[in-house]
Coordinates of all heavy atoms in Angstrom, one line a residue:
M1 N 239.7 -195.6 95.5 CA 239.6 -194.2 95.7 C 238.1 -193.9 95.3 O 237.7 -194.1 94.2 CB 240.6 -193.6 94.7 CG 240.8 -192.1 95.0 SD 242.4 -191.7 94.3 CE 242.0 -190.4 93.5
T2 N 237.5 -193.3 96.2 CA 236.0 -192.9 95.9 C 235.9 -191.4 95.9 O 236.2 -190.7 96.9 CB 235.1 -193.4 97.0 OG1 235.4 -194.9 97.1 CG2 233.6 -193.2 96.7
G3 N 235.6 -190.9 94.7 CA 235.3 -189.5 94.7 C 233.9 -189.1 94.5 O 233.0 -190.0 94.6
P4 N 233.5 -187.8 94.4 CA 232.1 -187.4 94.4 C 231.4 -188.0 93.1 O 230.2 -188.3 93.2 CB 232.2 -186.0 94.3 CG 233.6 -185.5 94.4 CD 234.4 -186.7 94.4
V5 N 232.1 -188.2 92.0 CA 231.4 -188.7 90.8 C 231.0 -190.2 91.0 O 229.9 -190.6 90.6 CB 232.3 -188.6 89.6 CG1 231.8 -189.3 88.4 CG2 232.7 -187.1 89.3
S6 N 231.8 -191.0 91.5 CA 231.6 -192.4 91.8 C 230.4 -192.6 92.9 O 229.7 -193.5 92.8 CB 232.7 -193.2 92.2 OG 233.3 -192.7 93.4
T7 N 230.5 -191.7 93.8 CA 229.4 -191.8 94.9 C 228.1 -191.4 94.3 O 227.0 -192.1 94.6 CB 229.7 -190.8 96.0 OG1 231.0 -191.2 96.6 CG2 228.7 -190.9 97.1
A8 N 228.0 -190.4 93.4 CA 226.7 -190.1 92.8 C 226.3 -191.1 91.8 O 225.1 -191.4 91.8 CB 227.0 -188.7 92.0
A9 N 227.2 -191.8 91.2 CA 226.8 -192.9 90.3 C 226.2 -194.0 91.1 O 225.2 -194.7 90.7 CB 228.0 -193.5 89.5
G10 N 226.7 -194.4 92.3 CA 226.2 -195.4 93.1 C 224.8 -195.0 93.6 O 224.0 -195.9 93.8
A11 N 224.7 -193.8 94.0 CA 223.4 -193.3 94.6 C 222.3 -193.4 93.4 O 221.2 -193.7 93.6 CB 223.5 -191.9 95.0
S12 N 222.8 -193.1 92.2 CA 221.9 -193.2 91.1 C 221.4 -194.6 90.7 O 220.3 -194.8 90.5 CB 222.5 -192.5 89.8 OG 221.7 -192.7 88.8
R13 N 222.3 -195.5 90.9 CA 222.0 -196.9 90.7 C 221.0 -197.4 91.7 O 220.1 -198.2 91.4 CB 223.4 -197.7 90.7 CG 223.3 -199.1 90.1 CD 224.5 -199.8 90.0 NE 225.6 -199.0 89.5 CZ 226.8 -198.8 90.1 NH1 227.0 -199.2 91.3 NH2 227.7 -198.0 89.6
D14 N 221.3 -197.0 92.9 CA 220.4 -197.4 94.0 C 218.9 -196.9 93.8 O 217.9 -197.5 94.0 CB 220.8 -196.9 95.4 CG 222.1 -197.7 95.8 OD1 222.3 -198.7 95.3 OD2 222.8 -197.1 96.7
G15 N 218.9 -195.6 93.2 CA 217.6 -195.1 92.9 C 216.8 -195.8 91.8 O 215.7 -195.9 91.9
V16 N 217.6 -196.2 90.8 CA 217.1 -196.9 89.7 C 216.5 -198.4 90.2 O 215.4 -198.7 89.9 CB 218.1 -197.3 88.6 CG1 217.6 -198.2 87.6 CG2 218.4 -195.9 87.9
V17 N 217.3 -199.0 91.1 CA 216.8 -200.3 91.7 C 215.6 -200.1 92.5 O 214.6 -200.9 92.4 CB 218.0 -200.9 92.5 CG1 217.5 -202.1 93.4 CG2 219.1 -201.3 91.6
A18 N 215.5 -199.0 93.3 CA 214.3 -198.7 94.1 C 213.2 -198.4 93.2 O 212.0 -198.9 93.5 CB 214.6 -197.6 95.0
A19 N 213.3 -197.7 92.2 CA 212.2 -197.3 91.3 C 211.7 -198.6 90.6 O 210.5 -198.7 90.4 CB 212.6 -196.3 90.2
R20 N 212.5 -199.6 90.2 CA 212.1 -200.7 89.6 C 211.4 -201.6 90.6 O 210.3 -202.2 90.2 CB 213.3 -201.5 89.1 CG 213.9 -200.9 87.8 CD 214.9 -201.8 87.2 NE 215.5 -201.2 86.1 CZ 216.7 -201.3 85.5 NH1 217.4 -202.3 86.1 NH2 217.1 -200.8 84.5
R21 N 211.8 -201.7 91.8 CA 211.0 -202.4 92.8 C 209.7 -201.8 93.0 O 208.7 -202.6 93.2 CB 211.9 -202.5 94.1 CG 213.0 -203.4 94.1 CD 213.8 -203.5 95.4 NE 214.9 -204.4 95.3 CZ 215.9 -204.4 96.2 NH1 215.9 -203.5 97.2 NH2 216.9 -205.2 96.0
L22 N 209.6 -200.5 93.1 CA 208.4 -199.8 93.3 C 207.4 -200.1 92.3 O 206.3 -200.3 92.3 CB 208.6 -198.3 93.5 CG 207.4 -197.5 93.7 CD1 206.5 -197.9 95.0 CD2 207.7 -196.1 93.8
A23 N 207.9 -200.0 91.0 CA 207.0 -200.3 89.8 C 206.6 -201.7 89.7 O 205.4 -201.9 89.4 CB 208.0 -200.0 88.5
R24 N 207.4 -202.7 90.2 CA 206.9 -204.0 90.3 C 205.7 -204.2 91.3 O 204.8 -204.8 90.9 CB 208.1 -204.9 90.5 CG 207.7 -206.4 90.5 CD 208.9 -207.3 90.7 NE 208.4 -208.6 90.5 CZ 209.2 -209.7 90.5 NH1 210.5 -209.5 90.5 NH2 208.7 -210.9 90.3
W25 N 206.0 -203.6 92.5 CA 205.0 -203.7 93.5 C 203.6 -203.0 93.0 O 202.5 -203.4 93.3 CB 205.4 -203.2 94.8 CG 206.3 -204.2 95.4 CD1 207.6 -204.2 95.6 CD2 205.8 -205.5 96.0 NE1 208.0 -205.3 96.3 CE2 207.0 -206.1 96.6 CE3 204.6 -206.1 96.1 CZ2 206.9 -207.4 97.1 CZ3 204.5 -207.3 96.8 CH2 205.7 -208.0 97.2
L26 N 203.7 -201.9 92.4 CA 202.6 -201.1 91.9 C 201.8 -202.0 90.8 O 200.7 -202.0 90.8 CB 203.0 -199.7 91.4 CG 203.3 -198.8 92.4 CD1 203.8 -197.4 91.7 CD2 202.1 -198.4 93.3
G27 N 202.6 -202.7 90.0 CA 202.0 -203.4 89.0 C 201.3 -204.6 89.6 O 200.2 -205.1 89.2
L28 N 201.9 -205.2 90.7 CA 201.1 -206.3 91.4 C 199.9 -205.9 92.1 O 198.9 -206.6 92.2 CB 202.1 -207.0 92.3 CG 203.2 -207.8 91.7 CD1 204.3 -208.2 92.7 CD2 202.7 -209.0 91.0
A29 N 199.9 -204.6 92.6 CA 198.8 -204.0 93.4 C 197.6 -203.7 92.4 O 196.5 -203.6 92.9 CB 199.3 -202.9 94.1
A30 N 197.8 -203.4 91.2 CA 196.8 -202.9 90.3 C 195.7 -203.9 90.1 O 194.5 -203.6 90.2 CB 197.4 -202.6 89.0
T31 N 196.1 -205.3 89.9 CA 195.0 -206.2 89.5 C 194.1 -206.5 90.7 O 192.9 -206.3 90.4 CB 195.7 -207.5 89.1 OG1 196.5 -207.3 88.0 CG2 194.7 -208.6 88.7
P32 N 194.6 -206.7 91.9 CA 193.6 -206.9 92.8 C 192.7 -205.7 93.2 O 191.5 -205.7 93.7 CB 194.4 -207.4 94.1 CG 195.7 -207.1 93.8 CD 195.9 -207.0 92.3
T33 N 193.4 -204.5 93.1 CA 192.7 -203.3 93.4 C 191.5 -203.0 92.4 O 190.4 -202.7 92.9 CB 193.7 -202.1 93.3 OG1 194.7 -202.2 94.2 CG2 193.0 -200.8 93.5
F34 N 191.8 -203.3 91.2 CA 190.7 -203.1 90.2 C 189.6 -204.3 90.4 O 188.4 -203.9 90.2 CB 191.1 -203.1 88.8 CG 191.8 -201.9 88.4 CD1 193.2 -201.7 87.9 CD2 191.1 -200.6 88.4 CE1 193.7 -200.6 87.6 CE2 191.6 -199.4 88.0 CZ 193.0 -199.4 87.6
A35 N 190.0 -205.5 90.8 CA 189.1 -206.4 91.0 C 188.2 -206.1 92.2 O 186.9 -206.3 92.1 CB 189.7 -207.8 91.2
I36 N 188.8 -205.6 93.3 CA 188.0 -205.1 94.4 C 187.0 -204.1 94.0 O 185.8 -204.0 94.6 CB 188.9 -204.8 95.6 CG1 189.6 -206.0 96.2 CG2 188.2 -204.1 96.7 CD1 190.8 -205.7 97.1
M37 N 187.5 -203.1 93.2 CA 186.6 -202.0 92.8 C 185.5 -202.5 92.0 O 184.3 -202.0 92.2 CB 187.5 -201.0 92.1 CG 188.5 -200.2 92.9 SD 189.7 -199.2 92.0 CE 188.6 -197.9 91.3
A38 N 185.7 -203.6 91.1 CA 184.6 -204.1 90.4 C 183.6 -204.7 91.4 O 182.4 -204.5 91.2 CB 185.1 -205.1 89.4
V39 N 184.0 -205.5 92.3 CA 183.1 -206.1 93.2 C 182.4 -205.1 94.1 O 181.1 -205.2 94.2 CB 183.9 -207.1 94.2 CG1 183.0 -207.6 95.3 CG2 184.4 -208.3 93.3
L40 N 183.0 -204.1 94.6 CA 182.3 -203.1 95.4 C 181.3 -202.3 94.6 O 180.2 -202.0 95.0 CB 183.3 -202.1 96.0 CG 184.2 -202.7 97.1 CD1 185.3 -201.7 97.6 CD2 183.3 -203.1 98.2
T41 N 181.7 -202.0 93.4 CA 180.8 -201.2 92.5 C 179.5 -202.1 92.1 O 178.4 -201.6 92.1 CB 181.5 -200.8 91.2 OG1 182.6 -200.0 91.4 CG2 180.6 -200.0 90.2
A42 N 179.7 -203.4 91.7 CA 178.7 -204.2 91.6 C 177.7 -204.4 92.8 O 176.5 -204.5 92.7 CB 179.2 -205.7 91.2
A43 N 178.3 -204.5 94.0 CA 177.5 -204.8 95.2 C 176.8 -203.5 95.7 O 175.6 -203.5 96.1 CB 178.4 -205.3 96.3
L44 N 177.5 -202.4 95.6 CA 177.0 -201.1 96.1 C 176.3 -200.2 95.0 O 175.6 -199.3 95.4 CB 178.0 -200.3 96.7 CG 178.8 -201.0 98.0 CD1 179.9 -200.2 98.5 CD2 177.9 -201.4 99.0
G45 N 176.4 -200.6 93.8 CA 175.8 -199.8 92.7 C 176.9 -198.7 92.2 O 177.6 -198.2 93.1
G46 N 176.8 -198.4 91.0 CA 177.7 -197.5 90.4 C 177.4 -196.0 90.7 O 178.2 -195.1 90.7
G47 N 176.0 -195.7 90.8 CA 175.7 -194.3 91.0 C 175.9 -193.5 89.7 O 175.8 -194.0 88.6
P48 N 176.0 -192.2 89.9 CA 176.1 -191.3 88.8 C 177.3 -191.6 87.8 O 177.3 -191.4 86.6 CB 176.2 -189.9 89.3 CG 176.0 -190.0 90.7 CD 176.1 -191.5 91.2
A49 N 178.4 -192.1 88.4 CA 179.5 -192.4 87.5 C 179.3 -193.5 86.6 O 179.7 -193.6 85.5 CB 180.7 -192.7 88.4
D50 N 178.4 -194.4 87.0 CA 178.0 -195.5 86.2 C 177.3 -195.1 84.9 O 177.4 -195.6 83.9 CB 177.3 -196.6 87.0 CG 177.4 -198.0 86.3 OD1 178.3 -198.2 85.5 OD2 176.6 -198.9 86.7
M51 N 176.4 -194.1 85.2 CA 175.6 -193.5 84.1 C 176.5 -192.9 83.1 O 176.2 -192.9 81.8 CB 174.6 -192.5 84.7 CG 173.5 -193.3 85.5 SD 172.6 -194.6 84.7 CE 171.6 -193.6 83.7
L52 N 177.5 -192.1 83.6 CA 178.5 -191.5 82.7 C 179.2 -192.5 81.8 O 179.6 -192.1 80.6 CB 179.4 -190.5 83.5 CG 178.8 -189.4 84.1 CD1 179.8 -188.7 85.0 CD2 178.4 -188.4 83.0
C53 N 179.7 -193.5 82.3 CA 180.5 -194.5 81.6 C 179.8 -195.5 80.9 O 180.3 -196.2 80.1 CB 181.4 -195.2 82.6 SG 182.6 -194.2 83.5
A54 N 178.5 -195.5 80.9 CA 177.7 -196.4 80.1 C 177.5 -195.8 78.8 O 176.5 -195.1 78.5 CB 176.4 -196.7 80.8
A55 N 178.3 -196.1 77.8 CA 178.3 -195.5 76.5 C 177.1 -196.0 75.7 O 176.3 -195.2 75.2 CB 179.6 -195.8 75.8
G56 N 177.0 -197.3 75.7 CA 175.8 -197.8 75.1 C 175.0 -198.6 76.0 O 175.4 -199.6 76.5
H57 N 173.8 -198.0 76.3 CA 172.9 -198.7 77.3 C 172.5 -200.0 76.6 O 172.0 -200.1 75.5 CB 171.7 -197.8 77.4 CG 172.0 -196.5 78.1 ND1 172.5 -196.4 79.4 CD2 172.0 -195.2 77.7 CE1 172.7 -195.1 79.7 NE2 172.4 -194.4 78.6
G58 N 172.7 -201.0 77.4 CA 172.4 -202.4 77.0 C 173.6 -203.1 76.5 O 173.6 -204.3 76.2
S59 N 174.7 -202.4 76.3 CA 176.0 -203.0 75.9 C 176.5 -203.8 77.0 O 176.6 -203.4 78.3 CB 176.9 -201.9 75.4 OG 178.2 -202.5 75.2
L60 N 177.2 -205.0 76.7 CA 177.9 -205.7 77.8 C 179.1 -205.0 78.3 O 179.4 -205.2 79.4 CB 178.3 -207.2 77.1 CG 177.2 -208.0 76.8 CD1 177.7 -209.3 76.2 CD2 176.3 -208.4 78.0
L61 N 179.7 -204.1 77.6 CA 180.9 -203.5 78.0 C 180.6 -202.1 78.6 O 181.5 -201.3 78.9 CB 181.9 -203.3 77.0 CG 182.5 -204.7 76.5 CD1 183.4 -204.5 75.3 CD2 183.1 -205.4 77.6
G62 N 179.3 -201.7 78.7 CA 179.0 -200.3 79.4 C 178.9 -200.4 80.9 O 178.6 -201.4 81.4
G63 N 179.4 -199.4 81.5 CA 179.4 -199.3 83.0 C 180.7 -199.5 83.5 O 181.7 -199.8 83.0
M64 N 180.8 -199.2 84.8 CA 182.0 -199.3 85.6 C 182.5 -200.7 85.9 O 183.7 -200.9 85.9 CB 181.8 -198.5 86.9 CG 181.6 -196.9 86.7 SD 182.9 -196.2 85.8 CE 184.2 -196.1 87.0
V65 N 181.6 -201.6 86.2 CA 182.1 -202.9 86.5 C 182.8 -203.6 85.5 O 183.9 -204.1 85.7 CB 180.8 -203.8 87.0 CG1 181.2 -205.2 87.2 CG2 180.2 -203.2 88.3
P66 N 182.3 -203.6 84.2 CA 183.1 -204.3 83.2 C 184.5 -203.4 82.9 O 185.5 -204.1 82.6 CB 182.2 -204.1 81.9 CG 180.9 -204.1 82.4 CD 181.0 -203.3 83.8
M67 N 184.4 -202.2 83.1 CA 185.6 -201.4 82.9 C 186.7 -201.8 83.9 O 187.9 -202.1 83.6 CB 185.4 -199.9 83.0 CG 186.7 -199.1 82.8 SD 186.6 -197.5 83.4 CE 186.6 -197.7 85.2
Y68 N 186.3 -202.0 85.2 CA 187.2 -202.3 86.3 C 187.7 -203.9 86.0 O 188.9 -204.1 86.3 CB 186.6 -202.3 87.6 CG 186.4 -200.9 88.1 CD1 185.2 -200.6 88.8 CD2 187.3 -199.9 88.0 CE1 185.0 -199.3 89.3 CE2 187.1 -198.6 88.4 CZ 185.9 -198.4 89.1 OH 185.8 -197.1 89.6
L69 N 186.9 -204.7 85.5 CA 187.2 -206.0 85.3 C 188.3 -206.1 84.0 O 189.3 -206.8 84.1 CB 186.0 -206.9 84.9 CG 185.2 -207.3 86.0 CD1 183.9 -208.0 85.6 CD2 185.9 -207.9 87.1
L70 N 188.0 -205.2 83.0 CA 189.0 -205.2 82.0 C 190.3 -204.6 82.5 O 191.4 -205.0 82.0 CB 188.4 -204.3 80.8 CG 187.3 -204.9 79.9 CD1 186.8 -203.9 79.0 CD2 188.0 -206.1 79.2
M71 N 190.3 -203.5 83.2 CA 191.6 -203.0 83.8 C 192.3 -204.1 84.6 O 193.5 -204.1 84.5 CB 191.2 -201.8 84.7 CG 190.6 -200.6 83.9 SD 191.8 -199.7 82.9 CE 192.7 -198.8 84.2
S72 N 191.6 -204.8 85.3 CA 192.2 -205.9 86.2 C 192.8 -206.9 85.2 O 194.0 -207.4 85.5 CB 191.1 -206.6 87.0 OG 191.7 -207.6 87.9
A73 N 192.1 -207.3 84.2 CA 192.8 -208.3 83.2 C 194.0 -207.7 82.5 O 195.0 -208.4 82.4 CB 191.7 -208.6 82.2
F74 N 193.9 -206.4 82.2 CA 195.1 -205.8 81.4 C 196.3 -205.7 82.3 O 197.4 -205.8 81.9 CB 194.7 -204.4 80.9 CG 193.7 -204.4 79.7 CD1 192.8 -203.4 79.6 CD2 193.8 -205.5 78.8 CE1 191.9 -203.5 78.5 CE2 192.8 -205.5 77.7 CZ 192.0 -204.6 77.6
H75 N 196.1 -205.5 83.6 CA 197.2 -205.4 84.6 C 197.6 -206.8 85.2 O 198.5 -206.8 85.9 CB 196.9 -204.4 85.7 CG 196.8 -203.0 85.2 ND1 195.7 -202.5 84.7 CD2 197.7 -202.0 85.2 CE1 196.0 -201.2 84.3 NE2 197.2 -201.0 84.7
A76 N 197.1 -207.8 84.7 CA 197.4 -209.2 85.2 C 198.7 -209.7 84.7 O 199.3 -210.6 85.3 CB 196.3 -210.2 84.8
S77 N 199.4 -208.9 83.8 CA 200.7 -209.4 83.3 C 201.7 -209.5 84.3 O 202.6 -210.4 84.4 CB 201.1 -208.5 82.1 OG 201.4 -207.2 82.6
A78 N 201.7 -208.5 85.4 CA 202.7 -208.6 86.4 C 202.5 -209.8 87.3 O 203.5 -210.5 87.7 CB 202.5 -207.3 87.4
W79 N 201.2 -210.3 87.5 CA 201.1 -211.5 88.2 C 201.5 -212.7 87.4 O 202.1 -213.7 87.9 CB 199.6 -211.7 88.6 CG 199.2 -210.8 89.8 CD1 198.7 -209.6 89.7 CD2 199.5 -211.1 91.2 NE1 198.6 -209.1 91.0 CE2 199.0 -210.0 91.9 CE3 200.1 -212.2 91.8 CZ2 199.2 -210.0 93.3 CZ3 200.2 -212.2 93.2 CH2 199.7 -211.0 94.0
L80 N 201.2 -212.8 86.1 CA 201.7 -213.8 85.3 C 203.1 -214.0 85.2 O 203.7 -215.1 85.2 CB 201.1 -213.7 83.9 CG 199.5 -213.7 83.7 CD1 199.0 -213.4 82.4 CD2 198.9 -215.1 84.2
K81 N 203.8 -212.8 85.1 CA 205.3 -212.8 85.2 C 205.8 -213.4 86.4 O 206.8 -214.1 86.5 CB 205.8 -211.4 84.9 CG 207.3 -211.3 84.8 CD 207.7 -209.9 84.5 CE 209.3 -209.8 84.5 NZ 209.7 -208.4 84.3
L82 N 205.3 -213.0 87.6 CA 205.7 -213.5 88.9 C 205.5 -214.9 89.1 O 206.3 -215.7 89.4 CB 204.9 -212.7 90.0 CG 205.2 -213.1 91.4 CD1 206.6 -212.6 91.7 CD2 204.2 -212.6 92.4
I83 N 204.4 -215.4 88.5 CA 204.1 -216.9 88.6 C 205.0 -217.7 87.6 O 205.6 -218.7 88.0 CB 202.6 -217.2 88.1 CG1 201.7 -216.6 89.2 CG2 202.4 -218.6 87.9 CD1 200.2 -216.6 88.9
S84 N 205.3 -217.1 86.5 CA 206.3 -217.9 85.5 C 207.6 -217.8 86.0 O 208.5 -218.7 85.8 CB 206.1 -217.2 84.2 OG 206.8 -215.9 84.2
E85 N 208.1 -216.9 86.9 CA 209.4 -216.8 87.5 C 209.6 -217.6 88.7 O 210.7 -218.0 89.1 CB 209.8 -215.4 87.8 CG 209.9 -214.4 86.7 CD 210.2 -213.0 87.1 OE1 210.0 -212.7 88.3 OE2 210.5 -212.2 86.2
R86 N 208.5 -218.1 89.2 CA 208.5 -219.0 90.4 C 209.1 -220.3 90.1 O 208.7 -221.0 89.2 CB 207.1 -219.1 91.0 CG 207.0 -219.7 92.4 CD 205.7 -219.6 92.9 NE 205.8 -220.1 94.2 CZ 204.6 -220.3 95.0 NH1 203.5 -220.1 94.4 NH2 204.8 -220.8 96.2
R87 N 210.0 -220.8 91.0 CA 210.7 -222.0 90.8 C 209.9 -223.1 91.6 O 209.7 -222.9 92.8 CB 212.1 -222.0 91.1 CG 212.9 -221.1 90.3 CD 214.3 -221.1 90.6 NE 215.1 -220.2 89.9 CZ 215.8 -220.4 88.8 NH1 215.9 -221.7 88.4 NH2 216.4 -219.4 88.2
W88 N 209.7 -224.2 91.1 CA 208.9 -225.2 91.8 C 209.8 -226.2 92.4 O 210.6 -226.8 92.3 CB 208.0 -226.0 90.8 CG 206.9 -225.0 90.2 CD1 206.9 -224.4 89.2 CD2 205.8 -224.5 91.0 NE1 205.9 -223.5 89.0 CE2 205.1 -223.6 90.2 CE3 205.2 -224.8 92.2 CZ2 204.0 -222.9 90.5 CZ3 204.0 -224.1 92.5 CH2 203.4 -223.2 91.7

């Protein structure tokens, strides 16, 4: 017997599953996106945004390229999890 309450619960469960899949794909997309942004910024130059983000001139962590590389590293956990779950 299927009533409106059980149908809504099933739809809610599907929504949760879809949201989890989307979150996983977004997590996987973040690392290469930030890596590409780092390469493009290094190749094309940062421009005015690079000057704003360079907190300490001469610092190794100043500028947009190191920031993008750090963001790429911080988001790499999704890739590490995917690799660790892979069966050989």
Side-chain angles (χ1 to χ4, degrees):
M1 197 158 130
T2 305
V5 174
S6 61
T7 304
S12 175
R13 196 173 316 122
D14 291 342
V16 169
V17 170
R20 285 184 181 159
R21 286 183 182 159
L22 178 62
R24 184 171 183 175
W25 281 108
L26 286 175
L28 289 170
T31 299
T33 300
F34 283 120
I36 290 169
M37 290 170 69
V39 170
L40 289 175
T41 303
L44 302 175
D50 204 18
M51 295 302 283
L52 289 173
C53 292
H57 298 289
S59 171
L60 291 176
L61 295 178
M64 295 299 287
V65 174
M67 183 201 67
Y68 288 141
L69 291 174
L70 284 172
M71 295 283 287
S72 181
F74 290 146
H75 286 86
S77 63
W79 282 97
L80 296 174
K81 183 178 177 183
L82 181 69
I83 291 168
S84 71
E85 290 174 351
R86 189 172 184 189
R87 296 186 188 256
W88 296 99

